[in-house]
Amino acid sequence: DPARIAAAFREAGPSVVIHVGAMASVAECYRNPSQAWPVNSQATAVLADLAARSATRLVFVSTDLVFDGEKGSYQESDAPSPLSVYGRTKVAAERAALSISNSVVVRVSLMYGPSLVDRPSFFDQQLAALRERRPLKLFEDEWRTPLDLPTAAQALVEIARSDYQGTLHVGGPERMSRLDMGRRIARCLNLDPSVFEPSTRSAAPLTEPRPRDTSLDSSQWRGLFGSVAWPSLEGAVGKMLAAVS
């Protein structure tokens, strides 16, 4: 709703907007593209226009799924080539954000941590499967650079406070498959990692092709913002679970 976005923007009178709102389910975007495009792309264009008119800094959160996964270790200079409706809506949103001055596109990877809303996250589903000893299939042939939620939040704040303009990749320190990730989380909790069973993308009933390797090269971000902690999976999981226990 562009009018309500504009009204909220005027009421807030922001000096910085960190735009994290999105229709982020890949499957839901495929099923309902008529909603995905306005929410992900057109709303970002509206915010970009409002930011440009008021000299407001815009930090837009994008995704590693703007890439087709054929290369891996993607750098900021690599051209997007999305395979999904979701990825295409985010590429269009990136262009809108970068069309104005004083803006940043922050591409994040697969994020993990306890959900802060009513809907369980994939991380929550993994923990439930472990604790209930319920088998859960995880891809062994899809690689990301998983990033914990607290690090992602801190990175966005520091980027927003800076004067950097352009695109930045903010991923975790290690490339791993979902299966590797799940089994390492299990070992952190001293639970049975065999609950997680290997699966492949070709064996899954997918409506759209899934990229094989969308791992991000985050060296540019680390060079500029090295003061932000960058914990391993084990370190991040330990801190997050201690905070919610």
Side-chain angles (χ1 to χ4, degrees):
D1 187 334
R4 290 181 65 189
I5 294 174
F9 190 98
R10 287 192 296 269
E11 182 180 353
S15 57
V16 178
V17 172
I18 302 179
H19 175 28
V20 298
M23 186 171 168
S25 166
V26 173
E28 186 58 31
C29 288
Y30 174 81
R31 288 192 295 265
N32 196 355
S34 62
Q35 183 180 7
W37 281 98
V39 169
N40 291 352
S41 304
Q42 294 168 27
T44 305
V46 170
L47 275 174
D49 181 63
L50 291 164
R53 291 173 184 269
S54 58
T56 298
R57 179 162 171 76
L58 177 63
V59 179
F60 171 62
V61 180
S62 190
T63 173
D64 56 350
L65 295 181
V66 299
F67 297 113
D68 62 13
E70 294 304 308
K71 173 181 176 289
S73 296
Y74 285 98
Q75 298 177 319
E76 288 83 353
S77 58
D78 289 316
S81 181
L83 301 182
S84 62
V85 171
Y86 171 66
R88 289 190 285 275
T89 66
K90 296 297 274 189
V91 169
E94 286 186 359
R95 291 174 181 151
L98 292 174
S99 70
I100 68 171
S101 62
N102 201 16
S103 66
V104 188
V105 166
V106 181
R107 292 181 183 139
V108 297
S109 191
L110 174 66
M111 292 190 290
Y112 64 92
S115 175
L116 301 178
V117 295
D118 294 335
R119 184 177 66 256
S121 67
F122 183 66
F123 181 79
D124 295 322
Q125 294 169 3
Q126 288 178 312
L127 292 185
L130 282 169
R131 288 165 176 159
E132 297 165 12
R133 297 185 57 81
R134 173 170 39 84
L136 181 65
K137 292 185 181 297
L138 297 177
F139 291 132
E140 62 178 351
D141 62 346
E142 177 184 293
W143 290 271
R144 311 282 286 274
T145 36
L147 178 69
D148 63 287
L149 290 172
T151 298
Q154 186 62 41
L156 290 174
V157 169
E158 294 305 320
I159 291 168
R161 287 173 172 162
S162 76
D163 58 3
Y164 181 88
Q165 299 183 46
T167 303
L168 274 178
H169 286 179
V170 177
E174 298 175 88
R175 171 185 177 271
M176 66 186 81
S177 70
R178 286 181 181 262
L179 180 64
D180 291 336
M181 181 181 177
R183 288 179 171 174
R184 287 173 63 172
I185 291 171
R187 295 186 185 101
C188 287
L189 302 174
N190 293 316
L191 295 173
D192 182 8
S194 67
V195 164
F196 297 129
E197 301 175 349
S199 180
T200 62
R201 291 171 298 135
S202 61
L206 303 174
T207 53
E208 295 177 294
R210 291 182 70 101
R212 180 181 63 87
D213 184 349
T214 58
S215 55
L216 297 178
D217 179 342
S218 300
S219 56
Q220 186 171 338
W221 165 57
R222 296 310 299 164
L224 293 168
F225 299 94
S227 61
V228 176
W230 205 30
S232 66
L233 178 77
E234 287 77 7
V237 168
K239 287 183 180 179
M240 287 190 292
L241 294 182
V244 299
S245 60

